[in-house]
Amino acid sequence: MGSSETESESRGFQNPDWETEFNRFENAISSGSASIRVRSVLKLSDLTNRVPESYISRAIPILAGLLRVSDDSNRSVQAAAAHCLKCITCCGGEESGFAVTMGRCGVIASLLGLLLEANTDGNVFRRIWVKCLWSLVTFGSSIRVGLARLGGLEIVIRELNNWEDDGSRWYLLEILSALTTIRESRRVLVHSGGLKFLVEAAKVGNLASRERACHAIGLIGVTRRARRILVEAGVIPALVDLYRDGDDKAKLLAGNALGIISAQTEYIRPVTEAGSIPLYVELLSGQDPMGKDIAEDVFCILAVAEGNAVLIAEQLVRILRAGDNEAKLAASDVLWDLAGYRHSVSVIRESGAIPLLIELLRDGSLEFRERISGAISQLSYNENDREAFSDSGMIPILIEWLGDESEELRDNAAEALINFSEDQEHYARVREAIGHPVFQSMQSRLARIRASHELMVRSMRRVTIQHLAHDHDLP
């Protein structure tokens, strides 16, 4: 080839006539040999980032057809087509809609069929089919339902069971996590022995895929049977690692899923031993309201164990001392929740939280005073805590609150003062509050509640085990 011809070809490569090039591609595919087809398809693969989208859209049905050819004994044409489709999908991304077009052209069904035959084709071809399928579910989220309906999840699970532990296994795991966004796929996963792969998917791959897997774990883990399988598969350290590695979204998802796992009493200890308490302290101290809610709920679960309650109370005290206003409010909410646990009462007192709460009350907002007053009313049922409150100067504040505009503050103060009045050690200090209308109203209300509770207890005692055993209407 002369120099003038080389220069002309170079100019043509830089500024090709795409219509002419596409006609050549069509002719090569329709009448060329297998080797010519392969070369033409691989050339298109190399140019996917330069070819105008209109020509890519015209090429997709042709490539989809190549996946179904019957005269490709060594699978070379099919492999080249699958590789090219993957390149097109990855280059175009979700916005291009190429993946959806491929789904309409039957690419998903063809790939699944090739995977079902892959046992005789070797691992090289299986990787090519899987990578192409991965690109479709990654950049074509709307076609995941179609893949699931064609039995895609079952085939992916089969492949994972047989796949060598090599560098391409993560493609299958990301396909699996994508399919778990579909409710029916999650059911299939539970009943097909695939939960261990869901845990694995939460460990490897890109962050978006790991987050999908984590979200599915949270949805699936609400049943005892699923929780047991997930824990046996190592879900607790996987979720802790995702929390530490991930962004804000991953932290919320991992924190929520870990809380769901810990809802079963036998898993509280392993969740705690995995280092979860500092993670929830971070959520409680953060800016996301959902994160604060998750942390509060999980702390209430973990605090069932007294040792955990001690650790949690220590962390809450640190927040009350050094946190911002929102974090302090969140910490006070948790203290209120923990005040209902019998063993947590002494834990809160010994943590040094009570003097801190009273100090914060003096300058706190109305919202803060309302939240703290709830915790105080609960804690005042314990004799030792009443002593701590009294020594810290809480009683005059409670009496003052009886005249506050906030009904919640008045009621909580009255309930606490009633508990002080029933304690001979503190009766004299609260005597001036006894005649207050708010105090008397709350006293009457509590008396009715206690009487109702005693009546219910007496009624329950009449129902014996023998009565229940002879109730034939019970299931």
Side-chain angles (χ1 to χ4, degrees):
M1 183 181 293
S3 60
S4 60
E5 292 177 335
T6 304
E7 291 172 3
S8 175
E9 187 176 280
S10 176
R11 285 194 301 271
F13 183 78
Q14 294 297 328
N15 300 288
D17 178 350
W18 290 113
E19 187 64 32
T20 301
E21 291 295 326
F22 185 78
N23 290 334
R24 289 175 180 169
F25 173 77
E26 279 188 307
N27 290 333
I29 298 303
S30 63
S31 58
S33 63
S35 60
I36 291 176
R37 288 179 175 183
V38 170
R39 284 199 300 271
S40 298
V41 172
L42 292 180
K43 180 181 179 181
L44 177 58
S45 302
D46 293 337
L47 295 175
T48 49
N49 62 340
R50 297 183 57 207
V51 178
E53 288 191 5
S54 59
Y55 291 99
I56 291 291
S57 297
R58 290 165 62 184
I60 288 174
I62 298 173
L63 294 168
L66 290 178
L67 293 177
R68 297 188 291 270
V69 296
S70 58
D71 59 346
D72 185 25
S73 58
N74 62 4
R75 304 291 193 194
S76 60
V77 175
Q78 292 172 314
H83 171 72
C84 187
L85 289 167
K86 179 187 79 87
C87 293
I88 290 172
T89 307
C90 294
C91 184
E94 183 100 26
E95 299 79 12
S96 69
F98 290 153
V100 176
T101 302
M102 293 176 195
R104 291 172 183 158
C105 292
V107 170
I108 295 175
S110 297
L111 290 171
L112 293 178
L114 290 168
L115 273 172
L116 288 172
E117 299 172 7
N119 288 333
T120 60
D121 294 335
N123 291 335
V124 174
F125 288 115
R126 288 169 66 203
R127 291 189 187 97
I128 294 172
W129 317 142
V130 166
K131 289 179 181 180
C132 185
L133 196 60
W134 166 85
S135 70
L136 290 173
V137 299
T138 300
F139 299 105
S141 56
S142 62
I143 67 173
R144 294 170 186 170
V145 174
L147 175 59
R149 287 175 179 170
L150 290 171
L153 183 59
E154 292 89 336
I155 294 174
V156 168
I157 292 173
R158 189 201 72 165
E159 290 297 314
L160 283 167
N161 277 315
N162 300 321
W163 202 272
E164 295 179 4
D165 190 13
D166 60 11
S168 57
R169 182 179 174 86
W170 64 270
Y171 286 103
L172 282 168
L173 294 169
E174 292 199 3
I175 295 172
L176 181 138
S177 77
L179 291 176
T180 59
T181 58
I182 303 165
R183 180 183 298 179
E184 184 57 36
S185 292
R186 293 195 294 271
R187 292 196 187 101
V188 171
L189 199 64
V190 172
H191 297 293
S192 62
L195 288 182
K196 61 183 178 181
F197 299 127
L198 184 61
V199 173
E200 187 180 355
K203 298 178 183 178
V204 300
N206 67 60
L207 187 58
S209 174
R210 295 174 69 190
E211 288 173 350
R212 288 195 301 263
C214 181
H215 185 229
I217 288 169
L219 294 172
I220 292 171
V222 295
T223 66
R224 291 179 64 88
R225 174 176 175 269
R227 274 198 298 266
R228 175 181 57 78
I229 298 172
L230 289 167
V231 170
E232 290 173 354
V235 74
I236 293 174
L239 292 174
V240 170
D241 288 344
L242 177 58
Y243 183 100
R244 290 170 176 161
D245 299 341
D247 56 13
D248 291 341
K249 179 182 177 182
K251 292 181 189 300
L252 288 177
L253 290 170
N256 183 64
L258 201 58
I260 289 170
I261 298 299
S262 67
Q264 195 161 326
T265 308
E266 62 193 281
Y267 300 135
I268 289 178
R269 181 173 180 178
V271 167
T272 305
E273 291 176 347
S276 62
I277 289 180
L279 309 185
Y280 289 109
V281 171
E282 181 182 341
L283 281 181
L284 193 71
S285 303
Q287 300 302 313
D288 194 307
M290 187 179 296
K292 293 179 185 294
D293 288 344
I294 291 171
E296 181 178 349
D297 291 343
V298 179
F299 275 147
C300 290
I301 295 171
L302 299 181
V304 169
E306 185 171 356
N308 290 344
V310 172
L311 296 174
I312 292 169
E314 291 174 353
Q315 296 293 337
L316 295 176
V317 166
R318 291 192 181 96
I319 293 175
L320 291 173
R321 283 177 178 154
D324 58 28
N325 288 336
E326 287 299 319
K328 289 177 180 178
L329 280 171
S332 67
D333 282 344
V334 178
L335 284 171
W336 186 353
D337 295 331
L338 298 190
Y341 292 13
R342 182 172 298 177
H343 62 260
S344 292
V345 172
S346 60
V347 168
I348 292 173
R349 181 183 67 252
E350 293 169 4
S351 70
I354 290 177
L356 278 173
L357 290 174
I358 296 174
E359 182 180 340
L360 292 169
L361 281 173
R362 301 184 190 279
D363 302 316
S365 64
L366 174 60
E367 180 184 10
F368 190 80
R369 294 199 304 274
E370 287 177 343
R371 294 192 188 186
I372 293 295
S373 67
I376 291 172
S377 68
Q378 292 300 309
L379 290 168
S380 67
Y381 281 90
N382 179 269
E383 178 182 355
N384 292 326
D385 285 330
R386 288 196 295 270
E387 186 69 31
F389 279 125
S390 178
D391 292 345
S392 299
M394 189 67 229
I395 290 178
I397 298 175
L398 291 172
I399 295 174
E400 181 183 345
W401 282 352
L402 291 177
D404 198 274
E405 294 181 358
S406 167
E407 181 180 359
E408 182 175 355
L409 198 60
R410 294 196 304 269
D411 286 349
N412 287 331
E415 183 174 358
L417 287 168
I418 289 169
N419 290 327
F420 277 104
S421 71
E422 295 173 351
D423 186 334
Q424 290 300 319
E425 293 293 325
H426 306 291
Y427 177 80
R429 297 184 183 182
V430 300
R431 183 184 300 170
E432 63 180 282
I434 293 176
H436 197 286
V438 175
F439 183 99
Q440 293 181 346
S441 174
M442 177 58 68
Q443 196 170 39
S444 298
R445 196 186 313 172
L446 289 176
R448 289 194 299 271
I449 292 172
R450 289 167 181 169
S452 176
H453 175 71
E454 290 174 1
L455 178 62
M456 182 179 67
V457 170
R458 287 197 299 271
S459 298
M460 289 296 293
R461 284 172 181 165
R462 297 191 189 103
V463 182
T464 65
I465 296 298
Q466 288 76 15
H467 291 135
L468 291 175
H470 287 86
D471 191 343
H472 300 292
D473 292 332
L474 291 175

